[in-house]
Amino acid sequence: MSYIIGLQCRECGRNYPADPLNVCDFCFGPLEVVYNYSEISKVISRKSIESGPLSMWRYKDLLPVEGDEYVDLGTGFTPLIHAKNLGRYLGLDQLYIKNDAVNPTYSFKDRVVSVASTRAREFEFETIACASTGNLAGSVAAHGAKAGMKAFIFIPDDLEQGKIVGASVYGPTVVTISGTYDDVNRLCSELADTYPWAFVNINMRPYYAEGSKTLGYEVAEQLGWRAPAHCVVPLASGALFTKIWKGMNELSDLGLIDPFSTQMHMTQPNGNSPIVDAYNLGDSHIRPVKTPKTVAKSLAIGNPADGIYALAALRQSGGSAVSVPEEEIVQGIQLLAETEGIFTETAGGVVIAGLRQIVKNNGINPDEPTVAFITGNGLKTLEAVEHIVDTVPISPTVDSFADAIANRL
Ligand SMILES: *Cc1c(COP(=O)(O)O)cnc(C)c1O
Ligand SMILES: [Zn+2]
């Protein structure tokens, strides 16, 4: 059973069928899925969701697919952890970590790709593809393998080894491009006109982006069916940020949670912060960053497609925007690891460093439920932290150990 009515242009409101389309023919605005919420409200309840699978597909009624054959690796319903140690350090009693680093391919991208690949199979595509800053590559390759589809991955040629190897293992064709992510994305938009493929974040983008709503649903459900007071989120294209906000608003509109006021806080690295900068300048358009220079490669989108919608969500929610100095990113990774035992990739370092800044600016009261979104796994960005390795080399004798350790005690 599907509750999709069709697609609609976010700018001019023109309607389109629920096809593999992503831009409006008239105004080039992005298209978004429209649902029949009055039908959804007849079937959905807290109970119906709670009796579903322990995965993102427990929210199937709010996702843009038609059948019930999902391309599912077991994504979602990841832990929401009360971070008491980090909370104590920061002076927050109600700090939670949403740990999406433990998804099947170790990032939140499995949520969007599970939806996009399911929809791609419904459209009978035989090949799945993407332009990726890293994590999307592994996720598309894995879902392609599971769905029996061919996979083509397009990435900038300077990505971390963990992301290249972590995608290659599933057997896709990996194409590396000498250029930025924005170059890769532009190329893929051209290829999507020629090759009859499901580019998950291009012609499948309206469906793809909806997968991120499940992070908003899960956090609300895991907090006992209420929205948090604060969300701290990393932004690349801005889609994730926008969809967490949308997800919580849908729950409230459907009466599944009480009306809420959640402040949405955006975090980007200093080396690439076009959306944060636009907010700080009071702009309503985004000035693209030509050559992003950041250790947080997963966030290195200089020309973010959903930037203006993320700005709108930020303003609507009364949140804030912080850009994080590059040297604080690794500190953020270490702080989360040393307090909570969670190893995040560089995007998570940006979130933790951003959270520290928001707290320093008195942006969060100690007793307000606050969720920091950890979207990817540290084992994929080892290069960023390898300089902290400091082992104690010894020979296999007690004396050797005692000598070596003496000046450390
Ligand atoms: C892609 C990505 C993001 C940002 O997602 P957008 O929807 O493009 O803003 C954040 N964190 C990680 C780890 C990612 O891979
Ligand atoms: Zn339009």
Side-chain angles (χ1 to χ4, degrees), residues 58-318:
R58 67 206 272 107
Y59 309 104
K60 64 179 168 52
D61 294 329
L62 289 161
L63 293 173
V65 300
E66 288 183 339
D68 50 14
E69 296 264 309
Y70 313 125
V71 183
D72 180 20
L73 304 175
T75 295
F77 221 67
T78 53
L80 182 74
I81 295 152
H82 189 178
K84 294 186 181 161
N85 298 335
L86 180 57
R88 201 175 303 119
Y89 180 86
L90 295 171
L92 300 176
D93 297 334
Q94 293 288 318
L95 176 63
Y96 295 86
I97 299 293
K98 180 59 172 166
N99 186 10
D100 248 25
V102 299
N103 272 314
T105 74
Y106 312 104
S107 85
F108 94 91
K109 291 294 197 302
D110 289 330
R111 296 176 185 273
V112 282
V113 176
S114 189
V115 172
S117 54
T118 297
R119 193 76 183 128
R121 227 173 35 177
E122 291 181 347
F123 289 137
E124 300 183 349
F125 281 108
E126 289 167 8
T127 299
I128 192 166
C130 68
S132 174
T133 58
N135 285 312
L136 189 55
S139 190
V140 166
H143 286 82
K146 178 79 171 173
M149 302 169 87
K150 281 201 200 71
F152 278 82
I153 307 298
F154 297 86
I155 50 175
D157 62 7
D158 67 345
L159 289 191
E160 302 93 342
Q161 270 302 99
K163 290 187 178 160
I164 301 171
V165 177
S168 300
V169 69
Y170 304 106
T173 302
V174 178
V175 183
T176 60
I177 290 143
S178 54
T180 64
Y181 170 80
D182 295 290
D183 296 324
V184 175
N185 189 45
R186 188 178 25 76
L187 169 66
C188 285
S189 298
E190 291 172 33
L191 295 177
D193 290 336
T194 309
Y195 294 84
W197 298 348
F199 279 87
V200 298
N201 53 342
I202 299 174
N203 52 335
M204 299 299 293
R205 189 169 182 87
Y207 310 99
Y208 159 94
E210 290 285 285
S212 289
K213 294 191 304 184
T214 58
L215 266 168
Y217 305 149
E218 278 178 28
V219 161
E221 182 180 350
Q222 290 171 319
L223 286 172
W225 295 105
R226 59 179 179 143
H230 302 272
C231 289
V232 184
V233 181
L235 283 79
S237 72
L240 168 67
F241 184 87
T242 314
K243 297 294 181 173
I244 290 171
W245 176 243
K246 178 176 178 182
M248 294 189 308
N249 277 285
E250 284 179 329
L251 292 187
S252 155
D253 292 345
L254 288 162
L256 297 171
I257 60 173
D258 288 338
F260 63 95
S261 78
T262 300
Q263 289 177 263
M264 297 292 297
H265 303 278
M266 54 170 69
T267 61
Q268 292 200 291
N270 246 347
N272 183 64
S273 52
I275 312 177
V276 170
D277 294 348
Y279 178 74
N280 288 335
L281 293 168
D283 286 350
S284 51
H285 69 282
I286 311 283
R287 275 171 238 202
V289 173
K290 274 220 181 71
T291 350
K293 276 199 161 35
T294 175
V295 69
K297 294 177 194 279
S298 54
L299 303 181
I301 297 184
N303 190 8
D306 291 277
I308 54 169
Y309 305 107
L311 283 177
L314 167 55
R315 290 184 176 126
Q316 229 183 317
S317 77

Side-chain angles (χ1 to χ4, degrees), residues 9-14 16 23-31:
C9 175
R10 273 163 134 177
E11 293 301 320
C12 74
R14 273 195 176 74
Y16 293 85
V23 276
C24 176
D25 289 338
F26 291 89
C27 76
F28 302 107
L31 304 183

Side-chain angles (χ1 to χ4, degrees), residues 86-87 89-92 230 232 265 267 320-325 327-328 331 335 351-366 368 370:
L86 180 57
Y89 180 86
L90 295 171
L92 300 176
H230 302 272
V232 184
H265 303 278
T267 61
S320 70
V322 294
S323 71
V324 167
E327 63 276 12
E328 289 179 18
Q331 292 169 13
L335 180 58
V351 168
I352 300 301
L355 172 64
R356 285 180 79 168
Q357 255 189 59
I358 298 162
V359 170
K360 213 186 280 167
N361 301 338
N362 297 314
I364 301 176
N365 290 328
E368 291 175 330
T370 298

